[in-house]
Amino acid sequence: MSGKRRRKIILGGGFGGVYTAKHLHKLLSKEDVEICLVNRDNYMTFQPMLAEVIGDALGVYDTVSALSSLLPKTTLYINEIEKIDLKGKKIYLVCPFKKQHIVLDYDELILALGNATDFIQLQNGVAQHALRFKNLSDTLILRNHVINVLEAAATENNPQLRQALLTFVIGGAGFTGTEVAAEVCDFITKMLKKIPCIKKEDIRIYLVHSKDIILNELSPSLGKYAMQLLRKKGVTIKSGLKVEAVTPHHAILSNHEKISSKTVISTAPANLNLVLESTQGLPIAHDRIKTDPNLLVEGFDHVWAIGDAAHIPLPDGSFAPPTAQFAVREAKTLAQNLAAKMALKPMKPFQFKPLGLLAALGHRKAVGELFGRIKISGFTAWLMWRAIYWSKMPGLSRKLKVLFTWILDLFIPSEPVVLNINSRKTMHHLHFKASEMIFDQGDLADYLYIILKGRVAVVKKFEGNGEKIIKELEASNFFGEIALTKDITRTAKVVALESTDLIAIPKDEFLVMKDNFLELDTFLTTTQESRLEELNKFKKH
Ligand SMILES: Cc1cc2nc3c(=O)[nH]c(=O)nc-3n(C[C@H](O)[C@H](O)[C@H](O)COP(=O)(O)OP(=O)(O)OC[C@H]3O[C@@H](n4cnc5c(N)ncnc54)[C@H](O)[C@@H]3O)c2cc1C
């Protein structure tokens, strides 16, 4: 990089990245350096208040701030990071407007990419069917989904399906799971005022937690208080259990209990960010990057890591927890150490004693622990929760907007509007457990299915003659094409014989492929003919 301005690149525009950039600008204002920040979104999300968006206590844009307003002096790259080359000191970014990478080189690199925001690594249908709760789009998807299932239940005649639509399962009762359960519960109560045909007693909300007491980051007495409060709201707490699998029809718990539900929310512990996972040479422990106490990545003198992505040792032998409270303090230490290193001065190890923890429990109640000793709960805790997080929101204009939204929320009821940004059906993955039905004979034909893993049975119902398995299909077979090509309802039922993963291709896309890909069309016609022949043989028997 000789002859060029020295470039410090920060990867990630969350709490860690944004605060590092802010401190670096202050500390290096006299140096000839360029500070760049790369993030996939052009905004920073204030996660601690995301749950409030579900029930409209905050508006869609109230929990986000534009990076350009927060960091006017930083060179911003709003791109997906595809690859980090630590040896070559290069970062490869994806640009949606051209078919080549944007390549950035650096002399110092700061990794603040948080943890994985998807469930790709999670098995057993969690990735395919559970809703997640990490960023603004997850919040909107969850809110839309809750409105959709309630409105569908209002006109549903099938009692089993109606109950599944009115059943909500939340996996994990740490801070996120507990706050989401409370907010979903309050939002449903608000919604039911507009849907009088659904009674509060019809709603089932399950909070599934692996420990006996929820919110295990707090003292047991506060966890118990939170459990009491949630139970009063109508939440059933399933302690000592995990959500083991999710299918389109059920949440399956670790004791094999099947809860029939169309809404499963997983707040499972996060994994290592996928870009970091594929980066050669990074030292990893417990799904995070190992750093030394000065926040330098172990084995490097110019790569740093902070926030949820980093495994940072603390002076007492423990490791920094993945919280915003820690990330912003780590950002300050990192910037100071980087400046010290440039000035050839000694660096300081990171240390911070958390001030306290607070969790909102909906309807103006919260629980918390301050300075590790003082326990608070109820309305006072809730007021403190709002005051503290409000004071931490970046920028005066954001603070004022949020304050007005909260005041208006006291007087104006929320509007259950579903913003359908992406209403097109797309190809997606599905997971079924043994004996679950994929579709029934007579159902509308909407997808073609390809089996990735597992086995299914095609079952024909004959009038007066009961049911017969006419074919078993396994991985790499497909099914569902007859009704799609003939534009009729399903001619048979398909049931999973074991744990099965499928890809579902929407009808329209399948028909475009079939009509324009001659060899595929010929193959499908031949397969279809032989399948119909087999079916006729069964009819004769
Ligand atoms: C619902 C919820 C509630 C929470 N409540 C609290 C709370 O009350 N108190 C508290 O202290 N903490 C809370 N936390 C935790 C806190 O939000 C995190 O600890 C904090 O956000 C970590 O900051 P970070 O900078 O390490 O990561 P993040 O804030 O996750 O930022 C990482 C950034 O990197 C970007 N990124 C990742 N991969 C790529 C890529 N490949 N290309 C481009 N960009 C990429 C992401 O889009 C993101 O913007 C909560 C978290 C959640 C999810």
Side-chain angles (χ1 to χ4, degrees):
M1 293 195 62
S2 55
K4 287 190 214 161
R5 286 175 83 196
R6 285 169 297 165
R7 189 186 269 159
K8 319 286 167 205
I9 295 189
I10 302 163
L11 301 186
F15 282 95
V18 166
Y19 281 86
T20 303
K22 273 180 180 285
H23 290 298
L24 281 180
H25 279 295
K26 268 189 218 153
L27 293 165
L28 303 180
S29 59
K30 296 202 177 85
E31 302 281 339
D32 185 25
V33 294
E34 182 189 13
I35 297 164
C36 301
L37 184 141
V38 188
N39 199 50
R40 65 162 67 94
D41 303 309
N42 77 341
Y43 55 81
M44 174 190 160
T45 309
F46 195 80
Q47 278 117 335
M49 289 215 154
L50 266 186
E52 293 229 329
V53 177
I54 302 173
D56 269 351
L58 283 179
V60 171
Y61 295 113
D62 288 336
T63 54
V64 294
S65 304
L67 290 174
S68 54
S69 314
L70 294 174
L71 303 170
K73 294 185 198 149
T74 310
T75 310
L76 294 174
Y77 288 87
I78 307 303
N79 297 87
E80 185 72 27
I81 303 153
E82 192 166 276
K83 195 171 125 191
I84 302 170
D85 174 4
L86 293 175
K87 235 175 165 186
K89 292 192 175 181
K90 289 191 188 323
I91 308 296
Y92 293 80
L93 311 183
V94 181
C95 174
F97 305 111
K98 62 180 186 186
K99 290 193 191 302
Q100 277 133 25
H101 283 121
I102 297 172
V103 184
L104 301 177
D105 44 17
Y106 59 83
D107 73 339
E108 302 274 352
L109 178 67
I110 295 121
L111 302 170
L113 286 169
N115 42 35
T117 54
D118 43 44
F119 297 147
I120 284 174
Q121 298 100 324
L122 297 182
Q123 303 289 316
N124 273 341
V126 177
Q128 292 94 326
H129 305 294
L131 297 164
R132 57 196 182 178
F133 197 80
K134 169 88 180 163
N135 54 40
L136 187 61
S137 53
D138 300 338
T139 315
L140 286 180
I141 290 169
L142 173 59
R143 183 187 144 79
N144 285 353
H145 181 87
V146 172
I147 299 170
N148 281 336
V149 288
L150 291 178
E151 287 180 342
T155 51
E156 182 53 55
N157 299 323
N158 175 332
Q160 278 95 26
L161 178 55
R162 185 177 191 270
Q163 191 53 66
L165 288 164
L166 297 178
T167 301
F168 302 81
V169 180
I170 297 123
F175 274 88
T176 307
T178 305
E179 290 189 354
V180 168
E183 280 295 335
V184 165
C185 197
D186 285 358
F187 182 49
I188 291 173
T189 310
K190 271 191 201 173
M191 281 282 297
L192 294 193
K193 288 187 185 141
K194 295 187 164 74
I195 315 177
C197 64
I198 303 175
K199 303 277 165 268
K200 186 86 208 284
E201 310 81 77
D202 301 339
I203 305 287
R204 311 252 185 286
I205 301 176
Y206 297 97
L207 181 59
V208 184
H209 191 51
S210 57
K211 307 264 169 25
D212 288 340
I213 299 171
I214 67 168
L215 286 173
N216 34 293
E217 298 88 340
L218 298 177
S219 304
S221 61
L222 288 174
K224 282 184 189 159
Y225 171 82
M227 285 165 82
Q228 235 178 18
L229 229 138
L230 289 175
R231 283 189 182 121
K232 253 195 211 158
K233 280 174 183 283
V235 177
T236 305
I237 298 168
K238 298 236 166 218
S239 310
L241 293 170
K242 282 182 180 172
V243 175
E244 202 85 327
V246 189
T247 74
H249 312 302
H250 296 106
I252 299 153
L253 309 190
S254 44
N255 62 351
H256 308 296
E257 182 182 348
K258 270 185 171 182
I259 302 176
S260 184
S261 170
K262 295 287 173 195
T263 313
V264 181
I265 304 158
S266 174
T267 57
N271 300 80
L272 183 65
N273 184 295
L274 292 179
V275 186
L276 299 175
E277 194 179 271
S278 58
T279 302
Q280 300 274 312
L282 272 183
I284 303 294
H286 305 281
D287 274 340
R288 289 152 85 189
I289 309 162
K290 282 199 287 189
T291 74
D292 68 11
N294 298 336
L295 306 176
L296 270 166
V297 173
E298 277 187 10
F300 292 84
D301 63 0
H302 62 286
V303 184
W304 311 72
I306 46 165
D308 288 5
H311 194 56
I312 302 167
L314 297 175
D316 65 1
S318 65
F319 291 87
T323 65
Q325 212 180 131
F326 268 81
V328 294
R329 267 80 181 191
E330 288 155 17
K332 189 170 181 186
T333 304
L334 191 158
Q336 285 167 342
N337 280 346
L338 199 151
K341 188 189 143 193
M342 285 175 70
L344 302 175
K345 288 186 180 160
M347 295 190 245
K348 284 191 188 138
F350 172 72
Q351 51 186 338
F352 170 62
K353 271 213 165 358
L355 309 173
L357 289 166
L358 286 160
L361 299 173
H363 210 69
R364 292 171 208 153
K365 297 262 168 41
V367 284
E369 214 156 47
L370 306 177
F371 310 107
R373 292 175 281 123
I374 307 163
K375 294 179 189 124
I376 48 165
S377 58
F379 183 67
T380 327
W382 176 79
L383 264 187
M384 194 173 255
W385 178 84
R386 274 209 164 169
I388 290 175
Y389 285 116
W390 179 78
S391 72
K392 304 260 177 241
M393 291 199 117
L396 182 66
S397 58
R398 169 70 48 234
K399 282 195 179 78
L400 288 175
K401 277 186 193 161
V402 166
L403 198 60
F404 282 121
T405 311
W406 278 340
I407 293 169
L408 289 177
D409 183 54
L410 293 174
F411 306 105
I412 300 171
S414 58
E415 280 290 321
V417 174
V418 172
L419 292 174
N420 240 340
I421 312 160
N422 189 4
S423 54
R424 267 191 70 229
K425 281 184 182 167
T426 51
M427 189 174 100
H428 57 274
H429 292 245
L430 295 163
H431 178 79
F432 291 87
K433 287 281 167 205
S435 81
E436 281 192 318
M437 190 170 68
I438 295 152
F439 57 69
D440 200 359
Q441 190 168 321
D443 278 359
L444 288 178
D446 43 6
Y447 290 97
L448 174 95
Y449 298 91
I450 299 173
I451 307 172
L452 296 180
K453 204 183 103 204
R455 226 156 33 93
V456 303
V458 182
V459 182
K460 183 80 186 165
K461 294 181 192 169
F462 296 101
E463 241 172 77
N465 249 347
E467 292 185 348
K468 264 182 196 150
I469 294 185
I470 53 170
K471 201 168 182 63
E472 286 189 14
L473 300 169
E474 55 188 27
S476 81
N477 285 160
F478 63 92
F479 59 91
E481 79 293 352
I482 296 180
L484 291 182
T485 47
K486 290 184 176 293
D487 203 15
I488 52 175
T489 55
R490 297 293 185 192
T491 53
K493 172 168 97 170
V494 178
V495 180
L497 291 172
E498 56 190 62
S499 203
T500 298
D501 289 333
L502 305 172
I503 294 183
I505 303 175
K507 179 179 178 178
D508 290 350
E509 264 137 71
F510 163 68
L511 291 179
V512 170
M513 282 202 292
K514 183 186 158 310
D515 293 345
N516 296 285
F517 186 177
L518 199 65
E519 283 169 20
L520 178 70
D521 187 33
T522 317
F523 169 68
L524 282 168
T525 312
T526 327
T527 314
Q528 202 168 304
E529 275 166 10
S530 75
R531 283 181 175 179
L532 286 170
E533 213 169 283
E534 275 177 62
L535 184 63
N536 284 335
K537 270 191 219 157
F538 263 93
K539 273 185 189 161
K540 281 180 199 150
H541 290 123

